[in-house]
Every structure is written in C-alpha cells, then in structure tokens.
Amino acid sequence: MSPEALREMAEAGVPVIERDLRGMDLRGLDLGKLVAMKCNLAGQDLSETRMDEAMLAECELGGARFGAARREGLMLVKCRAQGLDMAAAALVGLMLVECELAEARFGAARLERCMFVACKMDGLDLSQAALDTCVLMRCTIERLRLDDARLTNSAILEGDATTADLSRMAIDGGLLFKLVLDSRDFSRQALARVNFMQSSLRGARFDGAELTQSIFIGADLAQASFAGARASAVMFARADISRAGFSGAGLNMANFSETKGDLADFSGADLSMAQFTDASLRGARFVGANLSLADASNARLEAANFNGAAIGRLKLHAAVLHTALLGGARGDPIGTDEHRLVAEAYRPAPVQDEPTTEQRSVP
C-alpha cells in the first residue's frame, strides 16, 4: 500500500485492516478520520501527520512518535503503545481505552478533555503536563509520573497510587476518588478544591499544604499529618482521623462531623466555626487551639485536653466530657440545651392508616 492509497482510504472512510505500515513515509500526510484496525505502526514518525478524529483499534504503536503537534479527537482502543511518545503535544479530546501505555511519554503535554479508561499506565510520564478536565479511570498507575504536573478540574478514579510520583503536583478542582495514597507526602503542595473522597491516605503528609475547600469525606486519614496546612472550609465528615496531627493548621469552618478522631492532635490550630457534631474525639488534644463559635454538639470528648484553648461560644450540647481537661481554657462555652435534648430524644410512633370499610368487614 502506498501513502497516497492510505490517504484516499482515510478520506473515503474505508477502514484499513491488518496492514503493516512500518517504514512507510507518513510525514505530512492528512489521515484525518482514519479508521485502522490491527495495523502495525510501531516506531512510526507521526509528528507531521494529521490524525484529527482518527480511530485506531488493536494497533501496534510501540515507540511511535506523535511529536509536539496539536491533535483533536484521536481515539486509541486496545492498542499496544508501550513507549508511545506524545511529549509536549497539545491533545484535545484524546480518548484511550484499554491501551497498554507502559513507559509512554506525555511529559510537558497539554491535555484538554482527555480520557484514559482501563489503561495500563505503569511508568507513564506525565511530568510537567497540564491536564484540564481530564479523567483517568480504573487505570493501573504504578510508577506513574505526575511530578510538577498541573491538574485542573481533572479526576483520577480508583487505583493504587502508592508508587506514583506526585511530587510538586498542583491540583485545582480535581477528584482523586478511591485511590490508595498511603504514606504519600503532599507537603506544601497546592491542592485547593480537591476531592479525596473515600481514598486511603493513612500516614500521608499534608504539612503546609494549601487545601482550602478540599473534601476528605469518608477518607482514611489515620495518623496523617496536616501540620501548618491551610485548610479553611475543608470537609472531613465521616473520615477516620485517628491519631492524625493538625497542629498549627488553619481549619476555620472545617467540617469534622461524624469523624473518628480519637487521639487526634489539634494543638494551636485555628478551629473557629468548625463543626465537630457527633464526632468521636476521645483523648484529642486542643491545647492552645481556637475553638471560638465551633460546634461540638453530641461529640465524644472523654479525656480531651483543652488547656489554653479559646472556647468562647463553643457549643457543647450533649457532648460527653467525662475526664476532659477544661481547666485553663479561655471563654465561656454553650452547654446543653435541655429543650433541644428532649426534641432529639423524641421518637414518635409511626402513624398507621385507618382501615377502610371493606377492610373492617373482612372476617
């Protein structure tokens, strides 16, 4: 097959099936809307080839080079693309489904509205890349490189990222859902408005990180560290923060409702207007913390230490304070509201419908 014949088939919408295209000079060729199935393009130089809206299925693309050109609407399905080179490319609407992308290179690429679904991405390089409204879903991401990458309104869903390189990664408005990120170090990283919902972050470090309006609902944060983090209006509801450290963190308006936070350390933290309703905080340390206008209604605070804390207008309605250390705290908290307590305990009997005349007449 000649390059011209290939171009004509692409233009006519005729699928190219089981062709060995290695060694063919495709430079400068317009293969927009090409449909290729089970073709061999291994090692091909496609840097000057137009492939907008092309679809390649079950093709061999190992070591193929796409160069730094702009690509729109390219789709790869079940392709073997180990070592694929798309470094520095501008990729819009790229979709890769069940592709083998081990050691592929996307470093410094600009990806917009791109999607990776169930791809093998072990060792894939996205360092210094910019991802805008992109999704990585159920991909294998061992040794994935995202160092110095910027993610905006993007999502990584379900995977083990314990060996991924996330150093200096910046995220704004992203979703990291059900990821395993145990012991990862996010210290001083920009992670504002990131959703870590239901992810495992045991022992992770967020010291000095920017976490404003981020979400950790249902996350496992046992023994994690947030020392000095900027975490205003962060959602920790129903998370496990047992033995986690928040010393010196800015947590004003944060929500810790229903958290499991026994032995957590909030020493010196700004917790003004924070929510701790129905949380378990037994043995927690609030030494020198600011709890002004916070709400700890119905919280379990046995043996918690409030020495030197500011607790003016702190709501302690129905809180369990047995052996809590409140001596030395500054300000007057709000105690239990008896009328509210009665209302909370009220459990009306379910209302049953009156039987109809027909029902009453049945023997």
Side-chain angles (χ1 to χ4, degrees):
M1 175 182 289
S2 67
E4 182 59 26
L6 182 64
R7 185 197 64 76
E8 290 176 354
M9 292 179 72
E11 185 177 335
V14 178
V16 181
I17 302 173
E18 295 184 341
R19 297 286 185 144
D20 189 345
L21 304 176
R22 291 175 298 175
M24 184 181 292
D25 187 0
L26 303 179
R27 291 176 298 176
L29 210 60
D30 186 350
L31 297 179
K33 300 185 179 179
L34 169 70
V35 176
M37 302 178 64
K38 298 183 178 180
C39 293
N40 195 336
L41 288 152
Q44 264 288 5
D45 182 359
L46 302 169
S47 56
E48 300 177 19
T49 308
R50 184 177 180 272
M51 298 188 73
D52 290 353
E53 299 183 41
M55 195 274 279
L56 310 180
E58 300 183 62
C59 292
E60 177 62 61
L61 288 163
R65 303 181 302 282
F66 279 79
R70 180 182 176 88
R71 313 280 176 177
E72 295 191 21
L74 176 63
M75 176 182 287
L76 308 181
V77 180
K78 295 185 177 180
C79 292
R80 295 170 296 279
Q82 298 93 332
L84 177 73
D85 188 354
M86 287 190 171
L91 305 167
V92 180
L94 171 70
M95 178 172 286
L96 296 95
V97 180
E98 296 184 33
C99 293
E100 297 182 16
L101 297 166
E103 311 299 333
R105 296 182 293 278
F106 287 77
R110 299 183 303 283
L111 293 86
E112 181 180 347
R113 302 192 307 279
C114 297
M115 180 171 286
F116 298 75
V117 180
C119 292
K120 296 180 180 179
M121 301 173 66
D122 301 346
L124 183 141
D125 183 7
L126 279 165
S127 60
Q128 302 180 42
L131 286 73
D132 187 351
T133 322
C134 296
V135 176
L136 281 66
M137 179 184 298
R138 298 194 304 275
C139 297
T140 59
I141 52 178
E142 286 84 356
R143 299 180 294 108
L144 173 69
R145 290 189 58 190
L146 280 164
D147 46 308
D148 290 305
R150 300 185 307 280
L151 280 67
T152 305
N153 298 322
S154 295
I156 304 176
L157 311 177
E158 301 182 44
D160 188 339
T162 52
T163 60
D165 186 353
L166 309 177
S167 58
R168 300 180 302 278
M169 176 184 66
I171 309 179
D172 188 351
L175 172 60
L176 303 181
F177 178 69
K178 284 191 175 180
L179 292 185
V180 179
L181 293 159
D182 296 341
S183 302
R184 298 316 307 266
D185 190 351
F186 296 99
S187 297
R188 293 174 292 282
Q189 289 185 218
L191 302 169
R193 292 171 292 280
V194 178
N195 190 337
F196 291 92
M197 189 171 179
Q198 297 185 40
S199 288
S200 181
L201 291 149
R202 296 179 67 87
R205 302 188 66 85
F206 292 90
D207 299 344
E210 172 56 64
L211 296 165
T212 300
Q213 296 180 8
S214 287
I215 297 173
F216 292 90
I217 294 175
D220 187 348
L221 292 161
Q223 301 182 55
S225 177
F226 291 82
R230 298 179 298 282
S232 177
V234 170
M235 291 286 293
F236 290 98
R238 298 187 297 283
D240 184 349
I241 57 170
S242 303
R243 297 180 183 272
F246 296 89
S247 59
L251 293 159
N252 59 302
M253 296 185 292
N255 191 323
F256 292 92
S257 298
E258 300 180 55
T259 54
K260 179 183 176 182
D262 297 346
L263 300 176
D265 186 1
F266 295 95
S267 297
D270 179 6
L271 295 162
S272 54
M273 295 181 284
Q275 293 286 324
F276 291 98
T277 52
D278 299 294
S280 178
L281 296 161
R282 290 172 292 190
R285 288 176 55 84
F286 294 95
V287 177
N290 179 10
L291 287 153
S292 301
L293 300 174
D295 188 349
S297 297
N298 297 296
R300 298 190 65 92
L301 293 162
E302 298 100 312
N305 189 345
F306 292 89
N307 187 37
I311 59 172
R313 309 296 293 174
L314 166 65
K315 290 182 181 179
L316 292 172
H317 168 77
V320 181
L321 294 163
H322 181 63
T323 67
L325 302 177
L326 288 164
R330 297 174 286 110
D332 297 319
I334 301 173
T336 297
D337 183 330
E338 296 299 333
H339 297 290
R340 176 180 170 185
L341 196 63
V342 170
E344 290 173 340
Y346 179 57
R347 296 290 183 272
V351 177
Q352 296 183 351
D353 294 334
E354 287 291 327
T356 63
T357 304
E358 291 78 6
Q359 288 172 329
R360 286 195 295 266
S361 65
V362 174

